[in-house]
Structures are given as structure tokens and as C-alpha cells.
Amino acid sequence: MGKYKALMVNLGLFALNTVATRLIVFFLVPLYTYYLSAEEFGITDMATTVRMLLIPLVTLSTADAALRFIIDDSKNTERYVSIAFLATTLSSIVAFCILPLLDLNFFGGLGHYKLQFLLVYASGAFQTYFSNIARGLNQIKLMTWSSLFSSLVTSGTAAIFIAILHYGVNGYLYSMSAGSIVGCLIYLIAGRQFAYIRIKVGYRSKDALLFRKMCLYAVPLIPNSLFWWMGTSINRFFITGMMGIGATGLFAAATKLPNLIDAVYQIFQQAWTLSAFQEYRKSGIGHFFTVIYTLLQAVMSSGTSAFIILSSWLASFMLQKDFFNGWTLMPILAVAVYFNALNAFYGSVFTSSMKTRTLMSTTAIGAIVCVGITWAFIPSIGLFAPCIAMVASNAVVLVQRMIRSTTIMRIDVNLPILIATILLLAAQCTTISLKVPRYMVINVAAFAILCGVQLISIFPIVKQILQKDGVPRHPPRHAGQQVE
């Protein structure tokens, strides 16, 4: 009972955190698409893309390692916090040294904003670091406040710099940096995280040993992050090189709206990661993962199907001017987000068990699929190519992780339900992309069938939850099978 209650409490807290960040930023999309040209929006997206690549790569993912080890080894909390802080600081110096590379053509003009980008990188890297430390210290409420004020500052300064002062790309980068800096200050001051940072001069064998332990956990996450970035973001470089930075801006705008689904998932993911780490070594963990997976799959698939139906309506007021032309990409991108959510869930199996090398290999294969499809089909089907590539890539990663997770624990997956769900989502995307007559009627019918299928999948769990003890029972047949 305790593990489910703890997860629900964390979900509630992280829900506030995600609403504060994702939804406020989500409603900035009309401002961006109204005041920025497709080329300018493409440059801002390129800045985000490059930052997403650099943070795990240059920081050695030490913030992720600090989170994991603070939970397992609280007596060395100060050492883990300090090591990750030093790594994040050094990463900003490395980022400064590689700024000249931004002048290369495939960065689409980002080289004109080197110092602004450095500020965006450094503030974002430290915000990621402090956020992970807060999770490790169980400062969940503080994360909500930090995210809220960070998002409010980002949106407020964006309105001033972009809509009033017309700073364009500079305004976007300044507002992103301002929001991240405020978030960092809240963690430092209100969370008193500065008290955990101990920068000592000289070699310490204990610190070296802990750093080595952190690297053994984190280093496999670096290529995993790199391959994940390749599967989700490298398509921007292909689009820029083959279609121009304006097409990149159009594609970037289309990806912003499916992020609404991702915002819902992030509410779960942040709480789930914490609970998975805390509960992994306890009994019944296999059944715990099965219950949560079943509920997650039902919610995410239903939400994705509903989003596909509403995509045209959402785009009509969220994507301004010529950006509206990208709305037909949104259903396919939404399905990519759905697969990515399931991938992340299965990824928690490997991070909880500290077998992170598997994440790297599965993500690498997915990245190769994404790059291959994007490069091969952009000339013939344009922006639909990177969308389809993201779906195929995420699907390949999911299949691999489902198979390889069986060596760690048993997660019961109803394959007929999963296959039916995928086919229904594919039918919705196809009818919209091809503009089949009465596609809206077909989509509503598919949504109704999909919801019925998901009700069938979760019915046994709901029935158990409604029992007097309120806890999904652990099926006897799992006893003695792998990690349970």
C-alpha cells in the first residue's frame, strides 16, 4: 500500500511542478509564432537542440548520478552534490571553448548569438543540476515553486523582449536565461542547497572513489543521451541542410503542441523515477511495474488519440500565420511522443537496477533508424519524413527494451491490446495526413474504440483497487520469477 500512496503523493506534487513549467511555456507558442519569422524560430529551436545535446555530454551526466546515489547513500550527500556541482561548472568552461563551432553552416545562423547561447547553456545546465539535487533531497515542493517562478519570469520577459522591444531571437534567448537563473537562485537560497556544496582544493581519495562510482553509473547515460538526441533532434540539421532554416522553424512549431502530451507524461515520469528508485529493492517490484505500466499505457494512448482529433483546432489558435501549415505533422509527432513515453518507462527498469548500458545500445539502434529514414525520405515527402522517422525510431527502441527488460524483471504486457492501440493510432494519423474524406468521423470512431480497448486493459486493476484494501494484489504466478 505504501508504494502506491507514495507514488500518488509524488504525482500530485510533480503535477503542480509540470503545470507550472510546461503549460505556461506552451501558451507562449502563439507569441513566438506571431512575432518571430520561421527563420528566427528555427534559430531558437536550434539553440534548444544544441543545448539538449551539450548538457548531458559536457557535464558527464553527473547530475543524474548524484540523484541516484543521494537516494542510496545519503551519508555522502555533500560529496555527491559537490562533485556534480564542479562538473557542471567545468562544463560551462568547455561550452565557452567550443562556441566557434556554432559558425558552421548547419547550425543555421546560431553563430551570430554565441554569448547569448552560452548564457542559455550555463543557466540551463545549472537548473538541471539543482533540480536533480532537489529530487534527491526530497525537496519536491520547492521544485514546484522554483518551476513556477522560473516559468513566470520566462513568459514575462519573453513578452517584454519579443512583443514590446522586438528583440527577436535575442529576446527569446534572454528570456530563457532569465527564467533558468531565477529557478537556480530559488534552489540555492530557499532550498539552502549551497550548504551541501563543498569545494575542496587538493586530491581526496574518498572523492575520487565516489567520482569513479558516479561515472560507472553515468558514463553509459552519456552515449544514451547522445543517441536519444540523435533520434529526436538531429533531424533539425537534415531539415536545415536540405530544406532551409525556415522549414526547421515550421517543424519546430509543429513539435511544440504535441509537447502538451509530453507535459502530462512528465507529471508521471518525475514522480515515477523517484518511486522506482526508492522501491526497487523491495518485494513485489515486478507487479508494481506491471500495474503502473498498464495504467500509463491506457492514459497516454487515450490522450494521444484525443490530441489527434483536436490537432487542427489547437493549431488554429496556437500556430499563427504561415506556421499553421504544419498542423498535419502534429498527429504523427503525437504518436512519436506516445512511444517515447513508453520507452522512458522501460528505461526506468534499467536505471533503477543500475544497468544503464542497455539504455545506450537500444537508443543507438533507434537513432540509426531515425537518421536513415530522415535522410532517405526528406527529398520525396518533405517534413513528413522526420516525423515518421521519430515514430519508427521510438517504436524500435520500445521493442528492444521490452525484450531486454525480461532479464531484470517480469512486466506483463497485453500484446493484443498494445497492437490494437498502435493500429488505431496509425489509422488516425493516416486519414489526416492523406486528408481522407470524413477523416474526422473516422478519427472519432477510432478514439471511441481505443478508449473501449483501454478500459478492457485496466478493468482488472481497477477492480482490485476497489477492493477493501485498495491495493492491486500481487498475482501468485509471479512468485519466484526473476525480480518481483
Side-chain angles (χ1 to χ4, degrees):
M1 184 65 173
K3 65 183 71 172
Y4 294 99
K5 278 188 174 180
L7 178 58
M8 291 305 295
V9 170
N10 287 337
L11 277 173
L13 293 171
F14 281 115
L16 294 173
N17 177 40
T18 303
V19 169
T21 54
R22 294 301 185 94
L23 293 187
I24 290 177
V25 174
F26 175 77
F27 287 111
L28 284 174
V29 173
L31 181 144
Y32 295 148
T33 56
Y34 185 83
Y35 287 99
L36 299 178
S37 66
E39 289 76 14
E40 288 175 322
F41 197 81
I43 294 174
T44 65
D45 184 69
M46 185 63 70
T48 302
T49 299
V50 176
R51 183 181 69 167
M52 288 169 59
L53 168 66
L54 288 181
I55 287 179
L57 194 64
V58 185
T59 64
L60 302 179
S61 292
T62 48
D64 294 317
L67 163 63
R68 186 68 185 93
F69 286 105
I70 287 171
I71 293 174
D72 263 11
D73 183 20
S74 58
K75 67 179 182 294
N76 285 308
T77 292
E78 288 186 359
R79 293 180 182 273
Y80 294 126
V81 172
S82 301
I83 291 170
F85 178 82
L86 182 61
T88 305
T89 302
L90 292 175
S91 78
S92 298
I93 299 174
V94 174
F96 173 77
C97 294
I98 62 177
L99 286 178
L101 295 177
L102 297 182
D103 288 324
L104 296 174
N105 289 335
F106 57 75
F107 286 109
L110 185 58
H112 296 300
Y113 306 92
K114 291 186 183 70
L115 294 181
Q116 297 91 322
F117 172 78
L118 179 64
L119 185 59
V120 167
Y121 168 80
S123 59
F126 275 104
Q127 187 175 31
T128 299
Y129 159 77
F130 286 122
S131 175
N132 273 329
I133 300 304
R135 291 167 66 190
L137 298 175
N138 204 30
Q139 296 178 335
I140 310 303
K141 291 182 180 179
L142 179 66
M143 292 181 64
T144 300
W145 287 108
S146 176
S147 298
L148 175 61
F149 282 105
S150 176
S151 299
L152 288 175
V153 170
T154 298
S155 57
T157 54
I160 294 172
F161 291 144
I162 297 176
I164 298 177
L165 299 179
H166 302 289
Y167 282 179
V169 174
N170 281 320
Y172 177 92
L173 298 176
Y174 291 150
S175 65
M176 293 294 292
S177 301
S180 294
I181 291 171
V182 168
C184 291
L185 290 174
I186 291 174
Y187 285 125
L188 271 172
I189 300 171
R192 296 185 59 81
Q193 291 190 14
F194 64 86
Y196 295 91
I197 300 173
R198 298 283 187 270
I199 304 301
K200 300 177 182 178
V201 178
Y203 178 83
R204 297 287 190 280
S205 59
K206 176 79 170 179
D207 293 338
L209 181 63
L210 293 180
F211 178 67
R212 181 177 180 277
K213 192 166 93 168
M214 291 172 71
C215 285
L216 287 175
Y217 174 85
V219 167
L221 296 177
I222 299 171
N224 175 65
S225 297
L226 175 61
F227 290 129
W228 175 84
W229 175 86
M230 289 176 62
T232 59
S233 303
I234 200 173
N235 47 29
R236 267 70 164 179
F237 295 99
F238 285 99
I239 297 170
T240 301
M242 301 171 77
M243 301 181 68
I245 192 66
T248 301
L250 186 66
F251 179 79
T255 63
K256 295 294 183 184
L257 299 189
N259 281 343
L260 185 61
I261 305 172
D262 187 57
V264 175
Y265 174 71
Q266 289 302 321
I267 295 173
F268 163 81
Q269 178 62 19
Q270 294 181 73
W272 169 246
T273 300
L274 194 58
S275 294
F277 288 170
Q278 294 168 340
E279 302 292 337
Y280 178 73
R281 301 188 189 282
K282 300 179 182 179
S283 62
I285 189 63
H287 179 58
F288 183 43
F289 270 68
T290 296
V291 169
I292 301 304
Y293 164 81
T294 304
L295 295 174
L296 171 68
Q297 200 283 137
V299 172
M300 289 301 300
S301 60
S302 300
T304 301
S305 180
F307 176 87
I308 292 173
I309 294 174
L310 298 173
S311 56
S312 176
W313 175 77
L314 286 170
S316 66
F317 69 91
M318 296 299 290
L319 300 182
Q320 303 297 312
K321 301 179 179 178
D322 292 340
F323 287 97
F324 177 76
N325 295 329
W327 83 268
T328 54
L329 305 175
M330 289 164 49
I332 305 174
L333 291 168
V335 175
V337 171
Y338 161 74
F339 278 119
N340 192 53
L342 298 185
N343 288 343
F345 175 85
Y346 271 94
S348 67
V349 173
F350 304 103
T351 53
S352 299
S353 60
M354 295 194 179
K355 297 180 179 179
T356 50
R357 293 182 181 179
T358 303
L359 294 177
M360 176 184 67
S361 58
T362 57
T363 309
I365 295 174
I368 293 171
V369 170
C370 184
V371 170
I373 294 176
T374 301
W375 175 79
F377 291 100
I378 276 184
S380 57
I381 58 176
L383 290 178
F384 282 104
C387 299
I388 295 171
M390 290 174 69
V391 173
S393 170
N394 289 339
V396 167
V397 173
L398 176 61
V399 171
Q400 293 179 85
R401 291 185 179 179
M402 290 176 73
I403 294 172
R404 299 180 72 169
S405 66
T406 58
T407 62
I408 301 173
M409 70 175 67
R410 175 172 175 171
I411 300 177
D412 290 330
V413 176
N414 190 323
L415 285 179
I417 293 288
L418 180 61
I419 293 171
T421 299
I422 294 171
L423 291 176
L424 287 166
L425 292 174
Q428 287 185 277
C429 292
T430 303
T431 55
I432 289 179
S433 300
L434 299 179
K435 296 182 179 178
V436 174
R438 298 184 179 276
Y439 68 83
M440 186 57 70
V441 175
I442 298 173
N443 272 260
V444 172
F447 171 72
I449 296 171
L450 187 145
C451 288
V453 168
Q454 300 311 319
L455 286 175
I456 293 172
S457 73
I458 66 173
F459 177 75
I461 294 175
V462 173
K463 183 178 178 181
Q464 292 175 358
I465 291 176
L466 294 178
Q467 292 174 349
K468 62 180 180 180
D469 59 2
V471 186
R473 296 187 184 279
H474 182 61
R477 69 178 184 275
H478 288 174
Q481 293 181 347
Q482 299 171 309
V483 177
E484 288 294 339

